[in-house]
């Protein structure tokens, strides 16, 4: 089980990313638009740099929904590899069975 402080920090980051998502997308669109003038694109970059550090989506870390484990998580399930194994053996994940050939 991960420290609860790390899990809470990750939730705080997720909230900040959600708060700034529309503004972030608008500025990124301006920056990526080659039809805009260099001054406009530069101003958008400067505006983007004023965001809080944790407002960037790349700062988020995928964590297991049950344990908070940061590594070995599967995007499809949102769980760590250990928990996927446990739940799959119990039969709690539909469509997942132990491999045999």
């Amino acid at each position: 089980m991960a420290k609860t402080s790390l899990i809470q920090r990750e939730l705080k980051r997720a909230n900040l990313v959600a708060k700034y998502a529309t503004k972030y997308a608008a500025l990124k669109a301006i920056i990526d638009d080659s039809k805009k003038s260099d001054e406009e694109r530069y101003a958008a970059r400067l505006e983007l740099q004023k965001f809080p550090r944790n407002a960037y989506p790349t700062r988020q870390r995928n964590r297991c929904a049950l344990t908070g484990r940061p590594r070995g998580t599967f995007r499809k399930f949102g769980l760590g590899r250990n928990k996927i194994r446990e739940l799959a053996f119990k039969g709690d994940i539909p469509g997942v069975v132990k491999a045999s050939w």
Side-chain angles (χ1 to χ4, degrees), residues 23-33 44 48:
K23 200 175 199 183
Y24 180 85
L27 288 173
K28 286 295 278 185
I30 292 171
I31 293 168
D32 294 337
D33 189 6
L48 194 63

Side-chain angles (χ1 to χ4, degrees), residues 33-45:
D33 189 6
S34 60
K35 294 178 183 175
K36 298 275 186 188
S37 69
D38 289 339
E39 291 81 20
E40 287 177 307
R41 293 168 72 189
Y42 182 71
R45 265 191 230 108

